[in-house]
Amino acid sequence: MMNLNDRPDVQPGSPWSFPTCIVDDLSTGLTVVRVPMPGQKIITMEIGLDAPLSAEPAGLEGLAGLVVRTADESTTPHPDAAFAEAMESIGASYDGAAGLAGSHVGVDVPVTRFDAAAELFVELLRTTSLAQTDISRQLDMARASLAQTSQRGSALSGLAAARALWPEGSRSALPTIGTLTSVEKLDAEAAREFWTAHWTLSDAVLVVAGEGVEDLDLSVFEQWTATGSAAEIVPATPRVGGPRVILVDRPDAVQADMRIQQATVGRAHPGWAALKVACGALGGTFGSRLNQVLREDKGWSYGVGMSARPLPDGGVATVAGSFRTEVGADAIAEALSILTSDDDLRDDEVDSARDHLVGIAPLQYDTAGSVAHQVAALVRAGLAPTWVDDHLAAVASVKADGQEWSANTAWRQFLNPDDWRIGICGRAEDLAPALAERGLEAVVVNPTEVLS
């Protein structure tokens, strides 16, 4: 008989796989992916657009996101607030974002109101107004966002690391929402020109996920016929030379925020799964080396994280953490020591990181929205919707050593000890001399400089 104080046995999780995808094309050439998800009563329609940040004209950074955020403000048939009221009346919501790989826009709606929502979504794609009054309101919000960013150490350290990693002027090194300078140059005319050129069928994909989507009539999307040329995505090439450490001075900061980055391979590389596991063992789980040393052993931080994420061409590995100012320089030096250590990852470290990555997958894709977004990103990247299952199988097979792409092989080959670039935000008066004592000469800038 089991005592109430006895620890229950933990059973292995049930097998999980990414939802099955049904791929087709409309008569217009638009690629359509249906993802049936029984029980998901909220349907997500998402369109991936060939409208990346790199397609923005020089000096007009922030334009791609501005078009996405303003598109649902009004349309020709539903001017002013009428479009929002029409969406609200059927319980539908619009969302979207612009990024380095492209823009994505989507609508969530109860399955019982799908047809009405699809008509409104197509109306938005075809006749969004992008009126100056709406654009002006969104620009005011962009200015407010930049003002908030100027007070957020985590965001400033990330921008500083990007400035150190990518060439000066590279879109990867600038805020997604635009810079303090570029936001002042954006207007409705520029927005409409960008929309006309890039919100087209060129390299676009429509994903519909939720219950019963295999039976939905999608013919309304054939009314969207805008055509255009493919946007040119310039490969992100890491900076040669330049400062290795950039320190953003915030005299009133109560802590030191850190980002350590380097460019690496992307998800098309056969060693991507091993790199993900290696990053997990180094800093991606609570029991990882960085977290154990900097949080548990030293008590310098509430937590340190590490991850690798794909870019349109290649990928980037990032370490992030926040520390008390008086130990900030020591923490960064210790983190670099761990990242460049000769001590290979142990079997138990790799096993834990691997099992964590496989175990959290069902949580990452538990809604129609998360699944639709992943599928749209994969298809636009030239990968099959089945990539998630293939990737997780590859992750599950990673070991510490003894295979072509082991965790230690990925660590040694993909994360060069000399290529780490560092962004820090905090009190330069204290941090700069402390960093210099540890061989880390920092270029000191102010928040305005990294936001311009």
Side-chain angles (χ1 to χ4, degrees):
M1 183 175 179
M2 185 176 182
N3 188 290
L4 291 177
N5 293 322
D6 292 341
R7 183 185 296 271
D9 294 331
V10 178
Q11 301 299 320
S14 57
W16 179 87
S17 62
F18 196 74
T20 301
C21 297
I22 305 167
V23 184
D24 198 2
D25 292 313
L26 296 181
S27 62
T28 56
L30 176 64
T31 298
V32 175
V33 184
R34 300 173 189 255
V35 191
M37 298 180 67
Q40 293 284 346
K41 303 294 186 180
I42 302 298
I43 303 293
T44 292
M45 298 172 273
E46 178 163 321
I47 286 187
L49 295 162
D50 188 25
L53 299 183
S54 60
E56 299 167 334
L60 297 182
E61 291 81 12
L63 188 57
L66 176 65
V67 174
V68 170
R69 296 192 305 275
T70 314
D72 69 325
E73 295 279 358
S74 64
T75 64
T76 302
H78 289 90
D80 302 322
F83 185 82
E85 292 169 354
M87 290 279 283
E88 226 174 80
S89 70
I90 59 173
S93 62
Y94 165 89
D95 194 16
L100 294 172
S103 298
H104 65 92
V105 291
V107 170
D108 292 341
V109 68
V111 63
T112 55
R113 305 291 184 87
F114 175 82
D115 290 341
E119 290 181 5
L120 287 172
F121 193 15
V122 171
E123 178 183 308
L124 178 153
L125 293 169
R126 297 177 61 233
T127 68
T128 180
S129 301
L130 299 177
Q132 184 60 55
T133 53
D134 298 329
I135 292 290
S136 297
R137 183 166 55 253
Q138 289 294 336
L139 288 175
D140 285 341
M141 294 174 66
R143 295 183 185 98
S145 177
L146 287 169
Q148 289 181 331
T149 300
S150 71
Q151 301 300 314
R152 289 174 51 217
S154 58
L156 292 171
S157 62
L159 288 169
R163 286 286 182 103
L165 179 59
W166 306 111
E168 186 174 355
S170 166
R171 192 60 183 92
S172 301
L174 301 175
T176 298
I177 203 168
T179 67
L180 294 171
T181 304
S182 69
V183 164
E184 299 306 322
K185 299 178 182 179
L186 303 180
D187 57 23
E189 181 180 357
R192 284 191 286 268
E193 288 179 0
F194 187 89
W195 170 72
T196 300
H198 300 289
W199 280 46
T200 72
L201 293 169
S202 174
D203 213 15
V205 59
L206 166 64
V207 183
V208 186
E211 182 171 279
V213 298
E214 61 272 32
D215 299 321
L216 294 176
D217 181 7
L218 302 180
S219 61
V220 67
F221 284 93
E222 294 179 334
Q223 297 176 19
W224 181 44
T225 58
T227 58
S229 303
E232 180 182 359
I233 296 181
V234 180
T237 304
R239 186 172 187 165
V240 176
R244 184 190 181 201
V245 184
I246 296 180
L247 169 57
V248 184
D249 183 24
R250 280 191 63 217
D252 58 346
V254 297
Q255 64 184 18
D257 292 283
M258 169 202 77
R259 294 293 183 276
I260 304 177
Q261 290 187 331
Q262 74 166 272
T264 184
V265 300
R267 56 187 163 197
H269 194 285
W272 176 250
L275 175 63
K276 293 283 284 185
V277 174
C279 288
L282 287 168
T285 66
F286 189 83
S288 63
R289 288 190 178 182
L290 286 165
N291 201 62
Q292 281 295 303
V293 172
L294 299 177
R295 174 192 159 110
E296 297 298 290
D297 296 346
K298 304 289 188 180
W300 289 343
S301 174
Y302 283 118
V304 180
M306 182 177 182
S307 63
R309 64 180 178 88
L311 298 175
D313 181 56
V316 63
T318 303
V319 178
S322 299
F323 309 94
R324 302 195 315 274
T325 299
E326 65 270 20
V327 297
D330 285 329
I332 293 168
E334 187 68 35
L336 289 172
S337 175
I338 293 170
L339 293 170
T340 59
S341 170
D342 292 330
D343 295 333
D344 282 349
L345 295 167
R346 305 185 307 272
D347 288 341
D348 63 306
E349 293 176 304
V350 172
D351 291 348
S352 177
R354 178 195 64 220
D355 293 347
H356 173 76
L357 286 171
V358 173
I360 65 173
L363 302 177
Q364 292 177 300
Y365 304 115
D366 62 348
T367 66
S370 59
V371 169
H373 183 60
Q374 179 67 87
V375 171
L378 291 173
V379 174
R380 288 222 60 254
L383 300 170
T386 57
W387 181 88
V388 173
D389 282 341
D390 296 338
H391 171 66
L392 289 175
V395 169
S397 69
V398 173
K399 299 178 181 178
D401 295 291
Q403 54 190 175
E404 181 180 6
W405 292 110
S406 66
N408 279 309
T409 300
W411 179 16
R412 303 308 182 190
Q413 289 196 21
F414 299 149
L415 301 178
N416 190 319
D418 298 324
D419 288 346
W420 291 108
R421 297 296 179 110
I422 304 162
I424 314 162
C425 181
R427 295 200 302 269
E429 181 181 8
D430 299 319
L431 290 167
L435 288 165
E437 289 176 4
R438 290 153 184 82
L440 299 170
E441 294 289 343
V443 172
V444 179
V445 299
N446 60 52
T448 299
E449 291 177 79
V450 294
L451 292 173
S452 298

